[in-house]
PDB file of all heavy atoms in Angstrom:
ATOM      1  N   ASP U 571      31.880 -56.277  13.536  1.00 88.00           N
ATOM      2  CA  ASP U 571      32.123 -55.434  14.686  1.00 88.00           C
ATOM      3  C   ASP U 571      32.585 -54.007  14.137  1.00 88.00           C
ATOM      4  O   ASP U 571      33.132 -53.207  14.956  1.00 88.00           O
ATOM      5  CB  ASP U 571      33.216 -56.060  15.588  1.00 88.00           C
ATOM      6  CG  ASP U 571      34.597 -56.217  14.856  1.00 88.00           C
ATOM      7  OD1 ASP U 571      34.662 -55.974  13.604  1.00 88.00           O
ATOM      8  OD2 ASP U 571      35.554 -56.677  15.512  1.00 88.00           O
ATOM      9  N   GLY U 572      32.366 -53.710  12.957  1.00 88.00           N
ATOM     10  CA  GLY U 572      32.821 -52.439  12.407  1.00 88.00           C
ATOM     11  C   GLY U 572      34.121 -52.523  11.594  1.00 88.00           C
ATOM     12  O   GLY U 572      34.397 -51.677  10.752  1.00 88.00           O
ATOM     13  N   SER U 573      34.901 -53.536  11.904  1.00 92.00           N
ATOM     14  CA  SER U 573      36.181 -53.723  11.220  1.00 92.00           C
ATOM     15  C   SER U 573      36.000 -54.600   9.937  1.00 92.00           C
ATOM     16  O   SER U 573      34.996 -55.197   9.771  1.00 92.00           O
ATOM     17  CB  SER U 573      37.238 -54.328  12.191  1.00 92.00           C
ATOM     18  OG  SER U 573      36.885 -55.615  12.481  1.00 92.00           O
ATOM     19  N   SER U 574      37.062 -54.686   9.133  1.00 93.00           N
ATOM     20  CA  SER U 574      37.037 -55.419   7.968  1.00 93.00           C
ATOM     21  C   SER U 574      38.196 -56.439   7.886  1.00 93.00           C
ATOM     22  O   SER U 574      39.263 -56.217   8.456  1.00 93.00           O
ATOM     23  CB  SER U 574      37.100 -54.571   6.727  1.00 93.00           C
ATOM     24  OG  SER U 574      36.021 -53.686   6.714  1.00 93.00           O
ATOM     25  N   HIS U 575      37.941 -57.553   7.221  1.00 93.00           N
ATOM     26  CA  HIS U 575      38.912 -58.519   6.990  1.00 93.00           C
ATOM     27  C   HIS U 575      39.424 -58.416   5.569  1.00 93.00           C
ATOM     28  O   HIS U 575      38.567 -58.316   4.603  1.00 93.00           O
ATOM     29  CB  HIS U 575      38.428 -59.960   7.199  1.00 93.00           C
ATOM     30  CG  HIS U 575      39.473 -61.051   6.874  1.00 93.00           C
ATOM     31  ND1 HIS U 575      40.292 -61.576   7.809  1.00 93.00           N
ATOM     32  CD2 HIS U 575      39.765 -61.649   5.704  1.00 93.00           C
ATOM     33  CE1 HIS U 575      41.063 -62.515   7.281  1.00 93.00           C
ATOM     34  NE2 HIS U 575      40.793 -62.532   6.037  1.00 93.00           N
ATOM     35  N   PHE U 576      40.704 -58.377   5.291  1.00 93.00           N
ATOM     36  CA  PHE U 576      41.216 -58.085   3.949  1.00 93.00           C
ATOM     37  C   PHE U 576      41.934 -59.294   3.438  1.00 93.00           C
ATOM     38  O   PHE U 576      42.592 -60.027   4.162  1.00 93.00           O
ATOM     39  CB  PHE U 576      42.249 -56.898   4.006  1.00 93.00           C
ATOM     40  CG  PHE U 576      41.649 -55.594   4.470  1.00 93.00           C
ATOM     41  CD1 PHE U 576      41.547 -55.252   5.751  1.00 93.00           C
ATOM     42  CD2 PHE U 576      41.193 -54.698   3.465  1.00 93.00           C
ATOM     43  CE1 PHE U 576      40.948 -54.048   6.167  1.00 93.00           C
ATOM     44  CE2 PHE U 576      40.608 -53.483   3.844  1.00 93.00           C
ATOM     45  CZ  PHE U 576      40.466 -53.153   5.223  1.00 93.00           C
ATOM     46  N   SER U 577      41.782 -59.520   2.057  1.00 93.00           N
ATOM     47  CA  SER U 577      42.267 -60.761   1.467  1.00 93.00           C
ATOM     48  C   SER U 577      42.955 -60.395   0.112  1.00 93.00           C
ATOM     49  O   SER U 577      42.465 -59.421  -0.570  1.00 93.00           O
ATOM     50  CB  SER U 577      41.152 -61.732   1.161  1.00 93.00           C
ATOM     51  OG  SER U 577      40.455 -62.062   2.368  1.00 93.00           O
ATOM     52  N   ALA U 578      43.977 -61.114  -0.193  1.00 94.00           N
ATOM     53  CA  ALA U 578      44.732 -60.869  -1.421  1.00 94.00           C
ATOM     54  C   ALA U 578      44.227 -61.714  -2.520  1.00 94.00           C
ATOM     55  O   ALA U 578      44.402 -61.502  -3.721  1.00 94.00           O
ATOM     56  CB  ALA U 578      46.236 -61.060  -1.235  1.00 94.00           C
ATOM     57  N   THR U 579      43.592 -62.884  -2.184  1.00 94.00           N
ATOM     58  CA  THR U 579      43.125 -63.879  -3.184  1.00 94.00           C
ATOM     59  C   THR U 579      41.601 -64.090  -3.018  1.00 94.00           C
ATOM     60  O   THR U 579      41.054 -63.824  -1.865  1.00 94.00           O
ATOM     61  CB  THR U 579      43.848 -65.181  -3.018  1.00 94.00           C
ATOM     62  OG1 THR U 579      43.446 -65.841  -1.856  1.00 94.00           O
ATOM     63  CG2 THR U 579      45.337 -65.004  -3.105  1.00 94.00           C
ATOM     64  N   LEU U 580      40.902 -64.538  -4.094  1.00 94.00           N
ATOM     65  CA  LEU U 580      39.551 -64.816  -4.052  1.00 94.00           C
ATOM     66  C   LEU U 580      39.216 -65.967  -3.119  1.00 94.00           C
ATOM     67  O   LEU U 580      38.233 -65.935  -2.378  1.00 94.00           O
ATOM     68  CB  LEU U 580      39.024 -65.133  -5.431  1.00 94.00           C
ATOM     69  CG  LEU U 580      37.493 -65.368  -5.540  1.00 94.00           C
ATOM     70  CD1 LEU U 580      36.699 -64.188  -5.061  1.00 94.00           C
ATOM     71  CD2 LEU U 580      37.125 -65.710  -7.070  1.00 94.00           C
ATOM     72  N   ASP U 581      40.041 -67.001  -3.125  1.00 93.00           N
ATOM     73  CA  ASP U 581      39.874 -68.109  -2.212  1.00 93.00           C
ATOM     74  C   ASP U 581      39.818 -67.664  -0.717  1.00 93.00           C
ATOM     75  O   ASP U 581      38.987 -68.081   0.053  1.00 93.00           O
ATOM     76  CB  ASP U 581      40.894 -69.202  -2.440  1.00 93.00           C
ATOM     77  CG  ASP U 581      40.672 -70.075  -3.670  1.00 93.00           C
ATOM     78  OD1 ASP U 581      39.603 -69.933  -4.238  1.00 93.00           O
ATOM     79  OD2 ASP U 581      41.600 -70.722  -4.123  1.00 93.00           O
ATOM     80  N   GLU U 582      40.790 -66.897  -0.406  1.00 93.00           N
ATOM     81  CA  GLU U 582      40.873 -66.346   0.992  1.00 93.00           C
ATOM     82  C   GLU U 582      39.667 -65.505   1.280  1.00 93.00           C
ATOM     83  O   GLU U 582      39.106 -65.597   2.455  1.00 93.00           O
ATOM     84  CB  GLU U 582      42.177 -65.534   1.191  1.00 93.00           C
ATOM     85  CG  GLU U 582      42.302 -65.029   2.607  1.00 93.00           C
ATOM     86  CD  GLU U 582      43.518 -64.061   2.718  1.00 93.00           C
ATOM     87  OE1 GLU U 582      44.324 -63.955   1.778  1.00 93.00           O
ATOM     88  OE2 GLU U 582      43.651 -63.467   3.834  1.00 93.00           O
ATOM     89  N   HIS U 583      39.231 -64.696   0.295  1.00 94.00           N
ATOM     90  CA  HIS U 583      38.066 -63.845   0.527  1.00 94.00           C
ATOM     91  C   HIS U 583      36.811 -64.705   0.744  1.00 94.00           C
ATOM     92  O   HIS U 583      35.977 -64.395   1.623  1.00 94.00           O
ATOM     93  CB  HIS U 583      37.933 -62.951  -0.658  1.00 94.00           C
ATOM     94  CG  HIS U 583      36.654 -62.062  -0.594  1.00 94.00           C
ATOM     95  ND1 HIS U 583      36.487 -61.117   0.360  1.00 94.00           N
ATOM     96  CD2 HIS U 583      35.550 -62.116  -1.446  1.00 94.00           C
ATOM     97  CE1 HIS U 583      35.329 -60.534   0.089  1.00 94.00           C
ATOM     98  NE2 HIS U 583      34.659 -61.103  -0.894  1.00 94.00           N
ATOM     99  N   ASN U 584      36.686 -65.750  -0.095  1.00 92.00           N
ATOM    100  CA  ASN U 584      35.490 -66.537   0.064  1.00 92.00           C
ATOM    101  C   ASN U 584      35.421 -67.201   1.413  1.00 92.00           C
ATOM    102  O   ASN U 584      34.330 -67.381   2.053  1.00 92.00           O
ATOM    103  CB  ASN U 584      35.471 -67.649  -1.054  1.00 92.00           C
ATOM    104  CG  ASN U 584      35.055 -67.025  -2.383  1.00 92.00           C
ATOM    105  OD1 ASN U 584      34.414 -66.031  -2.491  1.00 92.00           O
ATOM    106  ND2 ASN U 584      35.512 -67.690  -3.502  1.00 92.00           N
ATOM    107  N   ARG U 585      36.600 -67.658   1.919  1.00 93.00           N
ATOM    108  CA  ARG U 585      36.653 -68.225   3.309  1.00 93.00           C
ATOM    109  C   ARG U 585      36.209 -67.161   4.384  1.00 93.00           C
ATOM    110  O   ARG U 585      35.538 -67.523   5.296  1.00 93.00           O
ATOM    111  CB  ARG U 585      38.018 -68.755   3.585  1.00 93.00           C
ATOM    112  CG  ARG U 585      38.285 -70.062   2.784  1.00 93.00           C
ATOM    113  CD  ARG U 585      39.545 -70.752   3.353  1.00 93.00           C
ATOM    114  NE  ARG U 585      40.794 -69.913   3.292  1.00 93.00           N
ATOM    115  CZ  ARG U 585      41.621 -69.949   2.259  1.00 93.00           C
ATOM    116  NH1 ARG U 585      41.336 -70.736   1.152  1.00 93.00           N
ATOM    117  NH2 ARG U 585      42.687 -69.174   2.244  1.00 93.00           N
ATOM    118  N   ALA U 586      36.675 -65.939   4.131  1.00 91.00           N
ATOM    119  CA  ALA U 586      36.320 -64.899   5.073  1.00 91.00           C
ATOM    120  C   ALA U 586      34.844 -64.495   5.012  1.00 91.00           C
ATOM    121  O   ALA U 586      34.200 -64.380   6.099  1.00 91.00           O
ATOM    122  CB  ALA U 586      37.194 -63.654   4.759  1.00 91.00           C
ATOM    123  N   VAL U 587      34.307 -64.578   3.836  1.00 89.00           N
ATOM    124  CA  VAL U 587      32.790 -64.356   3.649  1.00 89.00           C
ATOM    125  C   VAL U 587      32.085 -65.466   4.397  1.00 89.00           C
ATOM    126  O   VAL U 587      31.076 -65.168   5.076  1.00 89.00           O
ATOM    127  CB  VAL U 587      32.430 -64.264   2.213  1.00 89.00           C
ATOM    128  CG1 VAL U 587      30.893 -64.208   2.018  1.00 89.00           C
ATOM    129  CG2 VAL U 587      33.052 -63.021   1.584  1.00 89.00           C
TER     130      VAL U 587
END
Side-chain angles (χ1 to χ4, degrees):
D571 61 357
S573 67
S574 297
H575 178 92
F576 296 86
S577 305
T579 68
L580 183 57
D581 284 345
E582 182 186 351
H583 175 64
N584 287 336
R585 289 194 296 272
V587 169

